[in-house]
Amino acid sequence: MAHCIVPEAEEILDKEFPVLNAGFVRLVDYMGGDSRIVQSARVSYGDGTKTVREDGALIDYLLRHQHTSPFEQVVLTFHVKMPIFVARQWIRHRTARVNEISGRYSVMRDEFYIPADMDVAKQSTDNKQGRSTEPVTHAYAASVQERLQNGQQRIYEEYKELVDEGLARELARVNLPLSMYTEMYWEIDLHNLLHFLKLRLDSHAQKEIRDYANVILEITRKVAPMAVSSFENHQQNGVNFSGEEMADLRAMLEGKEPSLTGKKLDRLKEKIATGKQL
């Protein structure tokens, strides 16, 4: 198979999928799909594509047993527009090729992230890096939104004044806030993309980057639906147990008392109850 065409992916090429108040994700290009994964896996003994069921079973086997190299044969390129604070979390995944808009060459646009009412929340009391799940009043949310917007507008006006005065753009930009939108092209192979999704779809990830991850998951499903289905079954919705947890699971199945205590036992019970990797 010299070239892999996925009709469902072709239908969404260059289509913008909105995220947050002014962002988007766009599939620019892709190379390969489910058929490329199975062709790559079978190349060692020269066996071609079989039935859809057999192909799906092979992809499931490969992902379940972490045979990752066939998934690296599939590559997706996205054009993404997101707030700078989301981009800084995103760029920590250093397994992609990235080209971001530069404030040294371009005058940045007057576009900023303002959280929706339901996304405004107080600081969590038991999670230092997250927000509370307790809702705030509409009046408080509106007040936060207004203050954010006023601050963004003031800073952008000062930025534009400096640019118009002829100050170097690379200096004029230094006070621009993390809420400003940036854009980048992001090219990544499917193996590393699924790892990105596993981390950024998790409930512990910041809500704004989860919004992008959910859109990317659905786009990726168009390119490689069988691979995404296996990912959801074994990684996103699966649970991993440590050796000591497995020993206690066996003991519990035999009607014995677990040996784990305290937080370790609580974590094991929550894994069993929720089916989530903590």
Side-chain angles (χ1 to χ4, degrees), residues 200-256:
R200 296 308 178 179
L201 288 169
D202 188 89
S203 61
H204 295 88
Q206 185 166 344
K207 190 266 179 184
E208 285 76 13
I209 200 169
R210 289 204 315 269
D211 288 348
Y212 282 91
N214 276 303
V215 172
I216 288 177
L217 175 69
E218 295 310 314
I219 292 175
T220 307
R221 194 189 308 278
K222 298 290 187 181
V223 177
M226 289 187 286
V228 169
S229 178
S230 290
F231 160 75
E232 289 175 320
N233 186 37
H234 296 292
Q235 294 185 6
Q236 184 186 3
N237 300 319
V239 178
N240 294 326
F241 294 99
S242 66
E244 61 183 2
E245 288 174 334
M246 285 299 300
D248 264 15
L249 278 174
R250 294 188 186 98
M252 292 164 70
L253 287 172
E254 295 172 0
K256 301 176 183 177

Side-chain angles (χ1 to χ4, degrees), residues 99-133:
N99 194 41
E100 184 180 0
I101 188 172
S102 172
R104 297 183 67 195
Y105 300 106
S106 305
V107 175
M108 301 300 288
R109 295 177 183 174
D110 183 11
E111 293 180 309
F112 300 90
Y113 171 61
I114 298 291
D117 283 17
M118 63 181 180
D119 294 328
V120 177
K122 297 290 187 72
Q123 177 65 41
S124 171
T125 57
D126 57 2
N127 181 357
K128 293 182 179 180
Q129 65 174 6
R131 66 193 76 173
S132 171
T133 57

Side-chain angles (χ1 to χ4, degrees), residues 5-226:
I5 297 294
V6 183
E8 293 80 3
E10 294 289 320
E11 291 177 1
I12 64 169
L13 279 177
D14 286 330
K15 179 181 178 181
E16 287 188 7
F17 293 87
V19 190
L20 304 183
N21 64 313
F24 63 74
V25 177
R26 188 164 65 92
L27 180 65
V28 175
D29 200 2
Y30 69 96
M31 182 180 74
D34 287 329
S35 60
R36 175 68 70 238
I37 297 169
V38 298
Q39 287 284 340
S40 172
R42 290 176 177 141
V43 72
S44 60
Y45 51 93
D47 208 356
T49 300
K50 298 184 178 181
T51 67
V52 172
R53 174 179 288 185
E54 289 174 306
D55 287 350
L58 175 57
I59 288 173
D60 197 65
Y61 175 87
L62 293 170
L63 193 139
R64 186 170 69 252
H65 292 279
Q66 301 183 41
H67 296 305
T68 60
S69 57
F71 295 92
E72 295 173 3
Q73 297 290 319
V74 180
V75 178
L76 294 87
T77 304
F78 299 94
H79 177 195
V80 189
K81 180 179 177 183
M82 77 279 268
I84 290 174
F85 73 88
V86 173
R88 294 303 159 259
Q89 296 173 0
W90 202 302
I91 207 68
R92 290 182 60 81
H93 299 267
R94 297 180 294 274
T95 50
R97 277 70 60 195
V98 180
N99 194 41
E100 184 180 0
I101 188 172
S102 172
R104 297 183 67 195
Y105 300 106
S106 305
V107 175
M108 301 300 288
R109 295 177 183 174
D110 183 11
E111 293 180 309
F112 300 90
Y113 171 61
I114 298 291
D117 283 17
M118 63 181 180
D119 294 328
V120 177
K122 297 290 187 72
Q123 177 65 41
S124 171
T125 57
D126 57 2
N127 181 357
K128 293 182 179 180
Q129 65 174 6
R131 66 193 76 173
S132 171
T133 57
E134 293 294 323
V136 300
T137 65
H138 173 72
Y140 180 73
S143 171
V144 169
Q145 292 162 342
E146 181 180 12
R147 282 180 280 175
L148 290 175
Q149 190 167 19
N150 289 342
Q152 293 162 351
Q153 182 177 355
R154 176 181 58 78
I155 291 173
Y156 188 79
E157 288 173 355
E158 292 173 351
Y159 163 73
K160 279 290 289 169
E161 287 175 3
L162 293 171
V163 170
D164 293 342
E165 289 171 8
L167 183 69
R169 288 186 291 270
E170 66 181 19
L171 293 175
R173 67 178 176 165
V174 298
N175 275 1
L176 291 173
L178 293 175
S179 58
M180 172 167 274
Y181 274 87
T182 185
E183 297 182 37
M184 67 183 181
Y185 268 51
W186 189 61
E187 182 184 82
I188 188 167
D189 67 69
L190 184 58
H191 163 57
N192 286 298
L193 176 55
L194 293 179
H195 180 67
F196 169 88
L197 291 173
K198 177 176 172 58
L199 295 178
R200 296 308 178 179
L201 288 169
D202 188 89
S203 61
H204 295 88
Q206 185 166 344
K207 190 266 179 184
E208 285 76 13
I209 200 169
R210 289 204 315 269
D211 288 348
Y212 282 91
N214 276 303
V215 172
I216 288 177
L217 175 69
E218 295 310 314
I219 292 175
T220 307
R221 194 189 308 278
K222 298 290 187 181
V223 177
M226 289 187 286

